[in-house]
Amino acid sequence: MNCDIAIVGGGLVGASLAVALARSSKQRVILIEAARPPQSAPSWDERCIALNDASRRIFESFGLWDALRAEAEPILATHISERGRFGAARFAAADAGLDALGYNVPLRAIGAVLWQRLGDSGVELLCPARVSAVTAREDGVELQLESASTTPAQTIHARLLAAADGAQSAVRKLLGIGAETRDYAQHAVVSAVRLARPHAGVAYERFLESGPLALIPKSGRSASLVWTLPSAQAEAAMAASDEDYLQRAQDAFGGRLGRFTDLGRRLSYPLARVVADVCTAPRVALLGNASQSLHPVAAQGFNLGLRDVAVLARRLHDAADPGDAAVLAAFTEARGSDRSRVSGFTDLLVRSFSNRVPGLAQSRHWGLVAVDLLPGLREQVLRQHLGHLGGELGVSLETSA
Ligand SMILES: Cc1cc2nc3c(=O)[nH]c(=O)nc-3n(C[C@H](O)[C@H](O)[C@H](O)COP(=O)(O)OP(=O)(O)OC[C@H]3O[C@@H](n4cnc5c(N)ncnc54)[C@H](O)[C@@H]3O)c2cc1C
């Protein structure tokens, strides 16, 4: 079976790329996904995800935002603080001349919209099927697929392989591409919670001795609670009764939004940073978590992956040969600084706020005060938060501010 572009992984990143390519290029595209949507979802669950302004604009340019908007709760402001210290950094949409800094959207809604759009896109869907071997040749890549419905294994020849198969990317490993891995020895415990007072569209990030706790607005009086804890504490938090967990979360966050009630199902995620040594190899591009998987503290992982998608789709728009070395070199060049800046910043944030070195708490405190008060620094942090430092994304990032 021959195609121009084989996408491996139909999670949020791979499916977004498939939809983008179906709109913008004439290439024959195949999407290979190990799960069988919609009966079994690739990788989305009950979580919500905070999309920043750049991601909203990218989804708009893919013709998807109108369908997502109804499920998206606007984030009008953010408030970042550390327990026990008075300093805080605050950002409001009005500072940036925007209606919202970003949107909190259920993963299921994004997954459903993407896969529904794929259904009539012309992209050939091979699922459930799993890539088990990859051989790179001069004119393309040969993929072996394992699938319960096709024995013996199917072979696909593609001029470009776009690997969006997640943090443990089989493609990356099969091709021998190295990755730097840091296990944070933390888990994120995620759930929904109901608030006694209105959140007014404000997202809170509160740094605690044990790790950051984020409260991100959902519709009505509810919010997504994302609490990072050392792994042993996270295990205990998962085992606690609802009442006990709510009380602990309440003690950690404080009383600003009144009593927490109606705890949703808790899910726990191990946290590690995995950054591939390179984001391309001959005839191969890595995207999303396959290229860089980050700690969720700054809500950047998918936003960064979607910028990989926007840039690759743009490079492939009129490429005669999608796997040409010049196309891949341009992609590497375009993604380099965004990848290293965002993954480096996220890692620095995790490590500086988990570090109890004497004197560091004071520096963190003044860091937050400086971000709040110094206009130049404030603008840089805000633009990063919005995803506006991501290079040429093919969408306008203009604001009225
Ligand atoms: C607690 C938490 C909160 C987060 N919050 C945010 C947030 O607010 N904002 C944000 O931007 N990001 C956030 N993230 C990060 C975000 O969830 C990820 O960056 C994003 O989901 C990665 O998507 P992906 O498609 O690259 O990878 P995945 O979702 O891992 O998808 C990979 C896909 O590849 C398939 N696959 C794997 N191997 C094979 C194979 N051999 N053959 C075929 N298919 C295969 C899998 O079935 C899967 O569907 C958060 C992460 C966590 C853990």
Side-chain angles (χ1 to χ4, degrees):
M1 201 170 180
N2 286 329
C3 66
D4 295 305
I5 303 165
I7 302 171
V8 181
L12 297 186
V13 169
S16 298
L17 179 66
V19 169
L21 293 178
R23 273 174 75 85
S24 71
S25 86
K26 307 244 171 317
Q27 320 270 11
R28 181 177 178 201
V29 180
I30 291 181
L31 175 62
I32 303 149
E33 165 54 48
R36 187 207 296 267
Q39 291 93 324
S40 64
S43 55
W44 49 83
D45 51 32
E46 287 141 61
R47 250 183 315 146
C48 285
I49 200 165
L51 298 180
N52 64 21
D53 181 64
S55 294
R56 190 264 298 164
R57 294 179 195 229
I58 292 169
F59 274 141
E60 224 163 43
S61 74
F62 296 168
L64 296 168
W65 184 248
D66 284 349
L68 291 172
R69 181 67 186 86
E71 304 263 6
E73 182 68 15
I75 300 170
L76 305 178
T78 55
H79 181 282
I80 306 160
S81 61
E82 185 174 8
R83 183 156 72 178
R85 310 243 153 212
F86 70 83
R90 301 172 191 83
F91 298 98
D95 299 343
L98 294 167
D99 293 339
L101 293 172
Y103 292 83
N104 197 27
V105 191
L107 285 182
R108 279 193 204 292
I110 308 179
V113 166
L114 285 168
W115 274 80
Q116 184 263 330
R117 201 57 65 89
L118 279 176
D120 38 42
S121 65
V123 171
E124 287 163 68
L125 304 175
L126 295 184
C127 50
R130 182 171 282 281
V131 170
S132 56
V134 182
T135 315
R137 306 196 193 288
E138 207 182 316
D139 63 341
V141 175
E142 209 166 87
L143 302 171
Q144 295 276 329
L145 305 194
E146 280 172 3
S147 155
S149 57
T150 52
T151 15
Q154 194 174 3
T155 303
I156 290 187
H157 184 275
R159 295 202 290 168
L160 173 70
L161 163 55
D165 53 345
Q168 298 308 321
S169 170
V171 169
R172 195 181 66 218
K173 290 176 186 167
L174 288 165
L175 288 168
I177 299 173
E180 184 208 308
T181 302
R182 184 195 306 281
D183 183 350
Y184 290 116
Q186 296 176 332
H187 277 60
V189 179
V190 180
S191 57
V193 71
R194 194 174 153 72
L195 312 166
R197 297 198 195 122
H199 51 60
V202 181
Y204 293 88
E205 180 95 67
R206 194 156 166 71
F207 288 94
L208 311 164
E209 298 74 23
S210 51
L213 183 154
L215 206 60
I216 307 162
K218 285 181 57 155
S219 60
R221 283 215 179 157
S222 61
S224 308
L225 176 65
V226 183
W227 193 358
T228 301
L229 290 161
S231 297
Q233 289 184 36
E235 204 177 313
M238 289 297 289
S241 68
D242 283 7
E243 296 68 34
D244 189 15
Y245 183 76
L246 275 174
Q247 190 56 54
R248 288 189 209 183
Q250 183 86 64
D251 293 345
F253 181 76
R256 191 186 287 266
L257 295 174
R259 240 170 84 72
F260 292 171
T261 53
D262 297 4
L263 184 71
R265 191 161 82 94
R266 275 164 276 171
L267 298 166
S268 171
Y269 302 83
L271 302 180
R273 164 191 151 99
V274 184
V275 178
D277 296 343
V278 287
C279 64
T280 56
R283 299 256 161 213
V284 178
L286 304 179
L287 301 101
N289 273 20
S291 179
Q292 64 276 316
S293 174
L294 310 181
H295 193 290
V297 63
Q300 294 284 334
F302 176 67
N303 289 305
L304 185 61
L306 194 61
R307 299 204 288 277
D308 293 341
V309 169
V311 171
L312 187 63
R314 194 168 145 77
R315 299 283 158 198
L316 294 177
H317 173 60
D318 46 14
D321 175 356
D324 186 69
V327 172
L328 291 171
F331 174 70
T332 304
E333 164 83 26
R335 297 307 296 137
S337 63
D338 196 20
R339 271 185 99 219
S340 56
R341 191 188 53 256
V342 175
S343 60
F345 168 79
T346 304
D347 188 47
L348 182 70
L349 204 58
V350 178
R351 291 199 289 150
S352 54
F353 277 96
S354 346
N355 208 317
R356 299 292 118 207
V357 174
L360 194 64
Q362 203 65 9
S363 315
R364 283 194 303 260
H365 164 67
W366 289 116
L368 279 180
V369 172
V371 167
D372 202 43
L373 296 180
L374 297 179
L377 180 60
R378 191 177 161 70
E379 192 192 331
Q380 277 304 99
V381 174
L382 178 58
R383 289 185 64 209
Q384 160 131 334
H385 196 53
L386 295 171
H388 287 197
L389 298 177
E392 274 184 51
L393 302 174
V395 295
S396 158
L397 296 175
E398 274 178 27
T399 68
S400 60

